[in-house]
Amino acid sequence: MSIRVLFAANAQRWETYRTALPAAFERAGLDVDLFTETDRSDLVDYIVFAPNGTVSDFTPFTNAKAVLNLWAGVEQIVGNQTLTQPLCRMVDAGLEEGMIEWVTGHVLRHHLGMDAHIVNPGHEWRPVVPPLARNRTVAMLGLGALGRACARALVDLRFNVVGWSRTQKAIPGLTCLSGDDGLQTALSQAEIAVLLLPLTPATENLLDAARLALMPKGAVIINPGRGPLIDDDALIAALDGGHIAHATLDVFRTEPLPADHPFWAHPRVTVTPHIASETRADTASDVIAENIRRGEAGAPFRHLVDRTQGY
Amino acid sequence: MSIRVLFAANAQRWETYRTALPAAFERAGLDVDLFTETDRSDLVDYIVFAPNGTVSDFTPFTNAKAVLNLWAGVEQIVGNQTLTQPLCRMVDAGLEEGMIEWVTGHVLRHHLGMDAHIVNPGHEWRPVVPPLARNRTVAMLGLGALGRACARALVDLRFNVVGWSRTQKAIPGLTCLSGDDGLQTALSQAEIAVLLLPLTPATENLLDAARLALMPKGAVIINPGRGPLIDDDALIAALDGGHIAHATLDVFRTEPLPADHPFWAHPRVTVTPHIASETRADTASDVIAENIRRGEAGAPFRHLVDRTQGY
């Protein structure tokens, strides 16, 4: 009997996945019946999920073995009280590679002071050589799959990387800190801080006025994580006051970023339109297929969300 | 008896090296008499050299064992007919690290299309995700110490790197090409081309109108090598015509770049003021000390210039 998989993301995603998922199932040797709607919810084995799709009440899926998220972030589903099935995050090689490229690119941009050359209306020739990366401290806030991968890429480029996470980690090549004291230590050294934390009640507004004030004068914030990790008003005040030199932000409380939001026109803010990392259909479909294979074989799911922690 | 070393770069460099060199000599256990002028040229054992310094005629240095260049490029000295002593280039870890950072930074900048976000007066939210680095071809023209190091860093970031050099090389992780046919093949694939060739009669104007036309439409040129590697007029024509999308240039035929040079105001050119890589006094002094140690021990010099090839 075929494995019954409901695709519950929106129609636009279906356009991409209607061919990518069957191809991945075939690569994995799985016999899957894939559909976007059903009147027998009790017969669904797996739900492929993204926010703003066709499912918000999981109660009817009485026999579903797992909900497989197409996104790395799960904050829009993890609090859903009707969700009793195991929930797996997306950890996609394409998503990870894209994030490494965006993060190392923008870290190098700020490290090298590129903007002064890209926009140089006075045609000034001022040969100031930046310090070497080995003398530049970058704080990586969040050491999940994406944070670890980006930290490693920065270590390979010889940056002095300090990592911080809620629970203590040990990663070769970087100093790992945890807890409130650790965050204070990390921020007080961070010439560049990269935010790759999950959004949870404990991380919302993590970068507030007090924590921004801990950073060295002239520090740079790079946020490819989640918009609400930063207190927007506190950030704007720190930019206006000159304590924070620049913020490059890819994620926002409301997306697209509203036309009247002060980030748009702020000379010390770069807005990128949530492009730091995007799930790629081919590689993501392989991750979905692998978890279905595991579910059918009775093996533990990969990237299972710890519902008590929220990620 | 002390080893007698003449420092023959200009006064500004002496300010940096007057402390860095003695410290390096001490680390190497060398007993050195270091000076900036002498009336007994015949007693000088080694000459530390940079262009525009105090020595242009090497004839009086009848007993000098080597001329140790502070620069990676030697085109300003290699043709000097009075120079009969062995000539060594600078290969400095700091110089190499700085070059890796500048090259990977600007490659990622163009790969990610950052400029459209850094300068976005219309506040446009256009979430176009770039291809992954693994699907982006970068040609590295020149596979000497710096070219190889930069190519390796780009391979680590998963770029598809095609290397080209005059003589055939073999470097793990990248396709190595050589000769005229190889150059044609490399350029015809290059979405981004990085120039790290030495300047010799054979490489002057290497990137001319015909070779620029070989590149895919929309390609980007990045030149941290030497200004005359590019035919400036041909580049401007290719930029004006839209075949080449952008050029980021760190080196020029005349430096500082003259105020009236068309590169300054060209919307598709980024000028950086010869900062891609700078010799760092501490690490460079260790390289000088090591070559003096080798000279005194009768060991072969490192980074010896092949005068017949010009580099």
Side-chain angles (χ1 to χ4, degrees), chain A residues 93-98 100-106 108-109 111-112 114-115 117-120 123-134 153 156-159 250-252 254-257 259 264-265 269-275 277-278 280 283, chain B residues 93-98 100-106 108-109 111-112 114-115 117-120 123-134 153 156-159 250-252 254-257 259 264-265 269-275 277-278 280 283:
Chain A
L95 184 147
E96 185 172 300
E97 288 175 38
I100 290 171
E101 294 165 21
W102 189 94
V103 167
T104 53
H106 283 280
L108 283 165
R109 167 189 159 219
H111 166 62
L112 296 169
M114 273 185 204
D115 293 16
H117 306 297
I118 295 171
V119 183
N120 182 9
H123 302 168
E124 287 178 67
W125 179 277
R126 208 182 313 156
V128 180
V129 178
L132 290 174
R134 59 163 79 185
D156 286 348
L157 286 165
R158 298 178 190 259
F159 282 99
D250 187 58
V251 287
F252 306 91
T254 307
E255 295 180 6
L257 185 66
W264 273 124
V269 174
T270 302
V271 171
T272 71
H274 204 144
I275 53 166
S277 180
E278 178 81 5
R280 263 82 177 176
T283 44
Chain B
L95 185 147
E96 185 172 300
E97 288 174 38
I100 290 171
E101 295 166 20
W102 189 93
V103 167
T104 53
H106 283 280
L108 283 165
R109 168 189 157 218
H111 166 62
L112 295 168
M114 275 186 203
D115 293 16
H117 306 297
I118 295 170
V119 182
N120 182 8
H123 302 167
E124 286 178 67
W125 179 277
R126 209 183 312 155
V128 180
V129 177
L132 290 174
R134 60 163 80 185
D156 286 348
L157 285 165
R158 296 178 189 262
F159 282 100
D250 187 57
V251 287
F252 306 91
T254 307
E255 296 181 5
L257 186 66
W264 273 124
V269 174
T270 303
V271 170
T272 70
H274 205 143
I275 53 166
S277 181
E278 178 81 3
R280 264 80 178 177
T283 43

